[in-house]
Each structure stands twice: as structure tokens, then as C-alpha cells.
Amino acid sequence: SQTIHQWPATLVQPVGSPLSLECTVEGTSNPNLYWYRQAAGRGLQLLFYSVGIGQISSEVPQNLSASRPQDRQFILSSKKLLLSDSGFYLCAWSRIGGGTDTQYFGPGTRLTVL
Amino acid sequence: GENVEQHPSTLSVQEGDSAVIKCTYSDSASNYFPWYKQELGKRPQLIIDIRSNVGEKKDQRIAVTLNKTAKHFSLHITETQPEDSAVYFCAANGGNEKLTFGTGTRLTIIP
């Protein structure tokens, strides 16, 4: 069966510090991978998605970036965090092709920027 | 791109009664419509989904209906229980690999 991991689970960072969040998927090959952000009490905002190694699509212009160095690894980064970057960051995966396959979410990383 | 509107934003229902949450979408290319349930502090979990080749799908107390002509779909929960209390999100795929989510409905079941 497939499993998706995210770490760290929680993170408190000062404004202006760098960020690296990691997501890995087990039990499947060539997944689509997604990064979402959820502000407190709000909906799910798609930040990036990837259909293959090195292929990243950005949905919202911001100070975040994403990379996919391996088939089942997705990394979210920032060089300098802003207060507005606080939120619940969720990674998700789905099978490639057609867009009609379910997205499965990881456990999330709760980021607080102070 | 796709735009999804979800109503109501909050819903309180007596235990045992039914709850209905409605979503509309804008892109006629959308052909996949999942519903997620998110409990406080947890990840969203898929509870039911529907594809555009069917009009209704049911799984025990949960059902989803789809009207492609009107571009709306609804979640129906019958015989509600306290554990149904959560935030529910609808989504549509815009005919591609992405999902656009509604803004969520906070459902509270009153014992």
C-alpha cells in the first residue's frame, strides 16, 4: 500500500530564516505530487505541483520554491520566511494521468513564523 | 481556471438529521469531484468522489449528486452522528491534474 510522509511535523522559525520541508511517497512510482498551504481556519491553496522529476508548476507567485530531486521526493523551500508564510503545509500525491485520480494527503507540517 | 464555490460556510444539524452541502464550479471541462473531511489539526481525508459519467454515488450514509448541466454537486449525509462534526471541502479538477477546492463547510452535529 502507499504511504506519504512529511517532516518535520511542526516548525517554529524566525522571520527571514530559510525553510526546507520534505515529502516522500512510498509504494508507488511516477506519482503526481502537490504542495498546499492552509492558513488557520481557511481553505486549501495549491502552491506547486509536479508530474515528474524536475518538472514543477507554480500556482501562486511568492517567496517559496519547490523541487523534485527524485521520483518520490518533493521539497518545499524558502530563502527568507515572511510572517505570512505561517500555516499548515500539506503534501499530496495522486496517480499520473487523466486527472481523475484521488489526491491523498500527508500528515502535514505546521509552520509558525515569528 | 476552475473556480469552486461552496455553501454554507457553517452548518449545525441535530444528531440524526440530514446535512447537505452544495458546491458550484465554473469549468465545463471538470470531470472529477471529490469530497474531503478534515478534523481539527488533521489532514483532509477523502470520503467520497464522483466522476462525470455518473449522476449519483452512495456509500452508506454519504451520497454525492452531480448536475453537469447546472455545474453543481452536493454532499448528503444522512442520520448524522457526533463524529460527523468536521470541516468538509469539495473540489473539482478543471479537466487536468490539479484540484481546485471550495472554501469549506464547518459541520457541527448537536447531540
Side-chain angles (χ1 to χ4, degrees):
Chain A
S1 65
Q2 298 84 17
T3 309
I4 179 168
H5 303 279
Q6 285 187 247
W7 64 89
T10 61
L11 192 58
V12 180
Q13 292 285 95
V15 169
S17 63
L19 173 74
S20 181
L21 303 181
E22 189 164 345
C23 169
T24 60
V25 181
E26 295 177 354
T28 188
S29 296
N30 302 316
N32 285 344
L33 295 171
Y34 307 84
W35 277 113
Y36 290 88
R37 176 169 61 200
Q38 187 175 34
R42 306 296 295 275
L44 296 156
Q45 179 188 33
L46 179 63
L47 302 175
F48 301 94
Y49 74 100
S50 172
V51 299
I53 296 174
Q55 300 179 61
I56 309 293
S57 295
S58 175
E59 292 296 300
V60 182
Q62 60 215 325
N63 68 321
L64 300 172
S65 62
S67 62
R68 185 170 177 173
Q70 300 180 45
D71 180 45
R72 290 169 288 176
Q73 183 185 31
F74 206 21
I75 296 172
L76 183 69
S77 303
S78 175
K79 292 181 179 178
K80 287 187 177 183
L81 284 169
L82 307 173
L83 285 173
S84 57
D85 291 325
S86 293
F88 192 37
Y89 286 81
L90 291 154
C91 181
W93 76 275
S94 70
R95 290 181 181 85
I96 275 191
T100 59
D101 278 302
T102 303
Q103 288 187 21
Y104 299 94
F105 287 88
T109 295
R110 195 163 301 280
L111 172 65
T112 303
V113 182
L114 302 175
Chain B
E2 177 62 279
N3 182 51
V4 176
E5 295 189 359
Q6 183 172 347
H7 299 282
S9 57
T10 61
L11 179 61
S12 294
V13 174
Q14 287 290 137
E15 183 178 352
D17 288 350
S18 296
V20 180
I21 303 170
K22 299 181 180 181
C23 289
T24 60
Y25 62 99
S26 61
D27 194 335
S28 57
S30 282
N31 57 4
Y32 177 60
F33 308 91
W35 286 89
Y36 288 83
K37 174 183 179 182
Q38 187 178 28
E39 296 177 348
L40 190 63
K42 303 289 184 61
R43 75 185 86 182
Q45 300 265 25
L46 179 79
I47 56 172
I48 196 166
D49 58 11
I50 192 167
R51 291 172 175 80
S52 60
N53 56 343
V54 297
E56 183 174 359
K57 184 177 177 180
K58 190 173 181 180
D59 182 3
Q60 299 184 344
R61 297 187 296 107
I62 295 173
V64 57
T65 58
L66 171 64
N67 184 326
K68 288 216 74 180
T69 301
K71 294 183 186 169
H72 66 71
F73 56 112
S74 300
L75 177 71
H76 304 253
I77 305 174
T78 59
E79 301 172 13
T80 53
Q81 301 168 5
E83 53 265 37
D84 294 328
S85 293
V87 179
Y88 291 81
F89 291 97
C90 64
N93 72 337
N96 57 42
E97 307 282 343
K98 304 182 292 182
L99 288 177
T100 300
F101 285 83
T103 49
T105 297
R106 183 173 300 278
L107 175 63
T108 302
I109 306 303
I110 304 166

